């Protein structure tokens, strides 16, 4: 079911197994390994499929819309999150997932901010819920608004989160819209690099302050907190950009990356406690709805201002 994607099935099945047939404690080391190490390896593998030169031209064309929608997502997540009393880490997960690339972005920042597994599962489930709605709703709205192929591609590429959902919505509108939406989405995905670095610095500063406050500065280690997988992601992207990744093996690398993401997110589902998620209530879903609506509307408004519709 390509409109939904393997990660959604993986995390849902993981949650169901965890809460209906809870695995014994002997499984915990493997689940933790999959949800952390394999998650990081999947992000590195994605780097081999992202050529920086490939998306440069389209990226510059769509940068203004992308920056506005990304800023809108983070500001809305912060403001609405505080009004709804959603805690900070869940605000970050929903904001990053909506602003950049859905489950992949959530997966990338999870090793940095270290949220509870049920928060990660909740955020991913919320993001993918609105992905599915967007796939079904966006083409209909695009035709009602009489958007051009490039206008719809830019809208889908900046306002829909997951790559598979962007591709599904774009090509259901037209082939030209699908091609443009896919490149815009790939460009948008590269912004996960500076976002992760900013979050890593923020976490490092916070931990350093906490260590000073406790009088045990030796507990703080920049080496330990730095997200080295992001550095290797950059190396992988540079290798792909330099042309050292043979075309014949690129589909296999992409398949391996997708497989590892599904394994990791399934493990996160296996760690999720539905009782804790239920205690969180409907507020995170309403937060996700508010952020997604703000991003979708801001994308159209910016295109209207710059004359891209």
């Amino acid at each position: 079911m390509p409109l939904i994607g393997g990660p959604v099935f993986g995390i849902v099945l993981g949650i169901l197994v965890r809460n209906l047939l809870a695995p014994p404690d002997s499984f915990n080391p493997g689940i933790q390994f999959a949800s952390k190490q394999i998650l990081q390896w999947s992000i590195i593998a994605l780097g081999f499929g992202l050529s920086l030169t490939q998306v440069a031209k389209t990226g510059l064309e769509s940068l203004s819309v992308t920056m506005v929608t990304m800023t809108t997502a983070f500001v809305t997540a912060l403001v609405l999150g505080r009004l709804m009393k959603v805690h900070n880490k869940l605000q970050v997960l929903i904001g990053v997932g909506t602003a950049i690339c859905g489950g992949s972005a959530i997966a990338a920042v999870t090793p940095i901010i270290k949220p509870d597994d049920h928060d990660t599962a909740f955020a991913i489930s919320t993001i993918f819920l609105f992905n599915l709605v967007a796939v079904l709703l966006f083409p209909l709205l695009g035709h009602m608004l009489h958007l051009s192929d490039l206008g719809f591609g830019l809208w889908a590429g900046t306002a829909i989160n997951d790559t598979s959902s962007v591709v599904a919505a774009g090509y259901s509108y037209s082939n030209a819209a699908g091609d443009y939406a896919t490149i815009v989405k790939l460009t948008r995905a590269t912004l996960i690099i500076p976002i992760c670095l900013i979050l890593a610095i923020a976490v490092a500063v916070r931990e350093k302050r906490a260590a000073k406050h406790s009088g045990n500065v030796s507990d703080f280690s920049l080496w330990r907190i730095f997200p080295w997988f992001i550095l290797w992601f950059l190396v992988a992207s540079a290798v792909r950009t330099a042309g050292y990744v043979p075309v014949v093996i690129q589909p296999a690398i992409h398949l391996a990356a997708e497989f590892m993401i599904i394994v990791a997110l399934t493990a996160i589902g296996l760690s999720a406690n539905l009782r804790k998620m239920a205690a969180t209530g409907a507020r995170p879903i309403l937060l996700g709805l508010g952020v997604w609506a703000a991003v979708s509307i801001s994308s159209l408004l910016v295109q209207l201002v710059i004359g891209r519709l």
Side-chain angles (χ1 to χ4, degrees):
M1 298 185 68
L3 294 184
I4 301 176
V8 176
F9 283 110
I11 199 165
V12 169
L13 288 174
I15 290 172
L16 289 176
V17 170
R18 167 67 174 81
N19 291 275
L20 296 178
L21 303 168
D25 291 341
S26 59
F27 283 78
N28 288 340
I31 293 173
Q32 292 298 315
F33 178 82
S35 65
K36 290 181 172 61
Q37 273 70 33
I38 291 181
L39 180 61
Q40 295 180 16
W41 296 345
S42 70
I43 302 302
I44 296 170
L46 285 174
F48 286 108
L50 187 61
S51 172
L52 301 181
T53 56
Q54 173 190 1
V55 299
K57 182 176 181 295
T58 300
L60 290 174
E61 292 176 351
S62 62
L63 188 60
S64 59
V65 181
T66 300
M67 294 304 294
V68 169
T69 56
M70 188 176 71
T71 303
T72 299
F74 285 120
V75 171
T76 305
L78 177 63
V79 174
L80 284 183
R82 289 185 175 178
L83 290 175
M84 296 180 180
K85 297 182 180 179
V86 176
H87 64 82
N88 291 341
K89 290 185 178 180
L90 195 50
Q91 289 178 29
V92 171
L93 291 175
I94 292 176
V96 166
T98 306
I100 303 176
C101 49
S104 298
I106 293 173
V109 303
T110 293
I112 300 173
I113 66 173
K114 298 180 177 64
D116 292 336
D117 286 329
H118 70 272
D119 284 339
T120 305
F122 208 126
I124 291 173
S125 300
T126 300
I127 293 298
F128 277 110
L129 168 64
F130 295 116
N131 273 339
L132 181 57
V133 172
V135 169
L136 300 174
L137 189 61
F138 267 45
L140 177 63
L141 291 176
H143 288 297
M144 290 175 60
L145 296 171
H146 304 290
L147 298 182
S148 66
D149 290 337
L150 295 187
F152 182 83
L154 184 55
W155 187 36
T158 53
I160 303 177
N161 308 315
D162 184 65
T163 302
S164 61
S165 300
V166 170
V167 171
Y171 283 105
S172 68
Y173 196 79
S174 71
N175 287 335
D179 291 342
Y180 199 79
T182 301
I183 297 175
V184 171
K185 179 64 182 65
L186 289 175
T187 306
R188 182 177 158 206
T190 62
L191 295 175
I192 192 58
I193 299 170
I195 292 299
C196 282
L197 291 176
I198 291 171
L199 286 174
I201 292 171
V203 170
V205 170
R206 187 179 62 195
E207 289 204 357
K208 185 174 183 179
R209 287 177 178 172
K212 283 184 176 179
H213 183 72
S214 65
N216 193 2
V217 182
S218 61
D219 287 345
F220 173 78
S221 171
L222 181 59
W223 183 272
R224 175 176 54 83
I225 195 66
F226 187 80
W228 294 104
F229 70 97
I230 293 296
L231 178 62
W232 289 112
F233 174 86
L234 285 170
V235 171
S237 296
V239 169
R240 167 64 189 275
T241 304
Y244 292 129
V245 181
V247 175
V248 69
I249 69 169
Q250 289 175 13
I253 294 176
H254 182 70
L255 182 63
E258 287 188 333
F259 177 76
M260 286 190 288
I261 285 177
I262 293 171
V263 169
L265 296 184
T266 303
I268 288 174
L270 285 166
S271 305
N273 190 319
L274 280 182
R275 291 186 181 88
K276 289 184 178 180
M277 292 175 69
T280 307
R283 289 173 297 174
I285 296 178
L286 294 175
L287 174 60
L289 174 61
V291 176
W292 177 63
V295 167
S296 301
I297 294 170
S298 65
S299 176
L300 287 175
L301 288 177
V302 175
Q303 289 190 68
L304 182 63
V305 169
I306 65 177
R308 291 295 302 274
L309 293 177

